Amino acid sequence: MEVQRVGVVLRSFQPETEVTVRGWIRTKRELKEFAFVEVNDGSSMANLQVIFDRNYPDYENVLKQLNTGVAVEISGTIAESPAKGQRIELRASDVKVYGEVEADTYPLQKKRHSFEFLRSIAHLRSRTNTLGAVFRVRNACSAAIHQFFQERGFLWVHTPILTANDCEGAGELFTVTNLDLNNLPRNEDGSVNFEEDFFGKRASLTVSGQLEAEAMALAFTNVYTFGPTFRAENSNTSRHLSEFWMVEPEMAFCDLQGDMDLAEEFLKYVFQAVLERCPEDMEFFNKRIDSTVLDTARHIIDSEFERIPYNKAIEILQKSDRKFEYPVEWGADLQSEHERYLTEEVFGKPVIVTDYPRDIKAFYMRQNDDGQTVAALDVLAPKIGEIIGGAQREERLDMLEKRIQEMGLNQDDLWWYLDLRRYGTVPHAGFGLGFERLIQYMTGMGNIRDVIPFPRTPENIEF
């Protein structure tokens, strides 16, 4: 008998059909004449109810083995269920136990567990309703991202995880070394001599694949990266991870306008796909986690994003009667409270802010003709603030060299990046989206550590 996924059985199997399922027991309930066991294999929010009656061979001993958490294979016949809220149930004819669990020892008993507790058993928490729903949404969102770019002819490129470049210039890098940490080679000034290290220079985990993606875009026109990135930022907040995934498209022959168009189209597409592929999970989040989840998704899909320059955003904020914790002044970056005020109270929809002051943005952003701003964009969304950051890149060699010098960066480290401006340069643009931030926004989950299977945060690298 072919093994079927629980989700498929619940959706489409009819009474009198014989079927075999595999999974883990969520609950067991014993009555006088029969027992109910609920099985889940991760394919569905709902469990499949299985009935064992007393005619089942060796009934008492079999039931003793079927504790919460036990891994089983159960065969039987689908029957109509008289119970409220479920269409069918499985009447068991054969059961095989794969992995036993001693009674009352399983950490996930049938009660509410705090997310903080579940983080302490991250190896098991995916078996809960909430985390199961999170990771099904995460999967659907990943698939939709690839589908979006593949349908548009983008090439998926794998950019390095090990790098000598600090793309953002913030210095929050994890150093990767093969040196003996108990006997480090030193220069005369006492600093570590990385020339004796594996790569002959200091190497780090990447903070972004953007620079390498630019090189690939200048060969393939449209590319995207989707992979892990790392920040050694000592932030213990509900919005920060030390290891997270980034989506970074890069487009040749593209300006800021084209970049904005793609960012808006991208968000709408991904939200629509997740609503279609995970309706039960999204309903669950709307009911149990955040009652605005479905409205938020529809708002993203149906709204025409507002587009305003940074100057206009500052003017709106300064004229408001709102008292902000962080002062509003030209030249300062927008804080989350400013971004949420613009999206939630002024425009009531997502906002794309463009043309930020050059002094608060990275070296690679294209300088505007006013000499004060760069062709940057941030997509701001209600409830979360910035969700996408991007820019048109500086394609002019002389302007890029001048900017690198002004920012005190080592031009020799970027020789290959400058070469891209020497050999067939074109206007090009791209953006970056933190994948976990997107999942957190979609699901309404309060802590970013609960939307990645095994979170990496300061002083936490367990599992």
Side-chain angles (χ1 to χ4, degrees), residues 138 142 145-146 156 158 161 207-208 225-231 241-248 387 432-439 448 451-454 456:
R138 186 180 172 107
S142 297
I145 287 168
H146 283 296
W156 181 24
H158 303 117
I161 289 175
V207 299
S208 168
T225 75
F226 188 3
T229 55
F230 308 84
R231 298 279 168 90
L241 291 167
S242 301
E243 175 185 300
F244 55 98
W245 285 62
M246 285 280 286
V247 180
E248 296 178 294
I387 194 167
L433 171 137
F435 184 55
E436 283 72 26
R437 288 270 181 95
L438 177 63
I439 302 301
I448 200 167
V451 298
I452 189 170
F454 303 102
R456 299 293 183 244

Side-chain angles (χ1 to χ4, degrees), residues 298-317:
R298 292 255 53 105
H299 202 46
I300 289 285
I301 295 164
D302 297 336
S303 296
E304 182 179 342
F305 293 12
E306 190 71 29
R307 302 182 182 191
I308 59 172
Y310 170 88
N311 288 349
K312 179 69 173 175
I314 293 296
E315 180 184 330
I316 292 171
L317 292 166

